[in-house]
Amino acid sequence: MITTRNISRFWEWGRKIICVGRNYADHAKELNNPVPTEPVLFLKPPSAYVTQGSPILVPSYCRDLHHEVELGVVIGRGGTDIPQGSAMDHVAGYALCLDMTARDVQDVCKSKGLPWTLAKAFNTSCPVSEFIPRERIPDPGNVTLWLKVNDQMRQKGCTDQMVFSVPHLISYISGIITLEEGDLILTGTPRGVSAVQEHDELQAGIQDVVTMSFKVNRKEHQ
Ligand SMILES: O=C(O)/C=C/C(=O)CC(=O)C(=O)O
Ligand SMILES: [Mg+2]
C-alpha cells in the first residue's frame, strides 16, 4: 500500500514533540528561575496533540493548569548534528502552539527532583494551529505571539526575546536527538503565563498570520 503523508497535517504523523523551556528571560524570571546558559529540553508524546474543534482537558490530578503560548517549528527535513548555518533548510513551516502545563504538579516534581512528564505530557497538552508554510514567517526571530483568556490579553511577546534562536535550537537539539520530518519543536513561552479554568475560552495568534481558539473542559473520571 502506498501512503502519502501531508506535512500540513504533521500532528497525525506520530512524530516527536521537543519542547524548550525558559527560553525567554522575562518568563524565566516570573517563575523565579535562572536564565539558562544551555537550552532546557523536555518532550511531549504525539498523544498530546489537539486541534481546534476539540477541547483542552484538565487532567483529573491538576488544580492549576497554565497556558504557555509558543512558536512551533515543523521539521521538513530530518538530520543529526545539523550546523546552525544550514538549520533553516530543515524547516517546513510553523504552527502556533500551547504548552499546557499542570503548574501545581510541575512545582511538586521540581521540589522532588522528578521529571515533568505528568505536568507537561498529558493528553491535549499540545494544542496546535493549522500548519503555517515557512514563506509566511520569513523571520521566526521577529514575530509577535499573543494569547487571550475569555477576551482578556494574558500573553504578548516577540520572538526577538528568545534566549536561543530557532537555528541555534535546531542545531543543539539535533546533536542530541535526531530530528525527523514531521517533528515539532516548541520554542518556549514569553511572560504572562497564568491559570485557566474549566469552561474558559483561549484565543491565540501570531500577528496577522494565524489565530486559533480552544475551550477548556475537565477530564471526566473513568
Ligand atoms: O521551571 C519552571 O518553573 C517552569 C518551566 C517551564 O514550564 C518551561 C517552559 O515550558 C517554557 O518556558 O516555555
Ligand atoms: Mg513551555
Side-chain angles (χ1 to χ4, degrees):
M1 187 176 71
I2 297 172
T3 55
T4 52
R5 285 180 299 187
N6 182 349
I7 193 75
S8 68
R9 296 181 70 82
F10 63 90
W11 54 84
E12 294 178 345
W13 291 28
R15 295 290 207 211
K16 304 181 288 300
I17 306 170
I18 303 132
C19 307
V20 181
R22 305 176 185 171
N23 199 28
Y24 289 75
D26 55 2
H27 170 60
K29 283 181 195 147
E30 76 179 341
L31 294 184
N32 298 317
N33 291 309
V35 178
T37 52
E38 281 203 3
V40 173
L41 302 183
F42 57 94
L43 297 170
K44 290 180 189 274
S47 48
Y49 278 125
V50 59
T51 53
Q52 188 165 296
S54 296
I56 297 166
L57 298 175
V58 185
S60 56
Y61 53 79
C62 171
R63 292 289 169 271
D64 190 22
L65 183 66
H66 277 201
H67 55 78
E68 295 188 358
V69 69
E70 310 202 2
L71 178 67
V73 179
V74 182
I75 297 298
R77 183 155 61 86
T80 306
D81 295 326
I82 298 169
Q84 267 197 59
S86 54
M88 295 309 291
D89 299 343
H90 293 257
V91 174
Y94 303 92
L96 182 61
C97 305
L98 304 183
D99 169 15
M100 298 306 297
T101 302
R103 195 70 72 197
D104 50 346
V105 179
Q106 186 185 37
D107 288 344
V108 172
C109 293
K110 283 168 65 179
S111 70
K112 293 183 176 172
L114 294 172
W116 296 353
T117 309
L118 267 65
K120 292 281 197 179
F122 53 88
N123 290 346
T124 76
S125 63
C126 190
V128 288
S129 72
E130 66 196 59
F131 174 75
I132 304 164
R134 54 176 289 162
E135 302 73 40
R136 297 207 50 215
I137 300 187
D139 181 3
N142 190 16
V143 284
T144 298
L145 317 175
W146 59 267
L147 179 138
K148 293 179 184 177
V149 180
N150 303 329
D151 275 332
Q152 300 277 318
M153 190 67 81
R154 297 275 182 90
Q155 287 190 274
K156 193 169 190 182
C158 183
T159 55
D160 67 357
Q161 298 299 304
M162 283 184 190
V163 179
F164 302 105
S165 68
V166 169
H168 185 118
L169 292 173
I170 290 171
S171 179
Y172 180 86
I173 292 166
S174 72
I176 300 163
I177 302 169
T178 292
L179 288 172
E180 299 167 281
E181 188 184 7
D183 283 350
L184 177 71
I185 300 173
L186 264 61
T187 56
T189 197
R191 68 179 292 277
V193 300
S194 68
V196 299
Q197 315 293 338
E198 194 179 352
H199 307 311
D200 280 350
E201 171 131 11
L202 310 191
Q203 293 170 295
I206 302 176
Q207 295 177 179
D208 56 352
V209 177
V210 79
T211 58
M212 64 181 189
S213 62
F214 286 88
K215 278 266 193 212
V216 179
N217 284 348
R218 183 159 280 279
K219 185 173 187 294
E220 299 296 326
H221 285 282
Q222 286 155 343

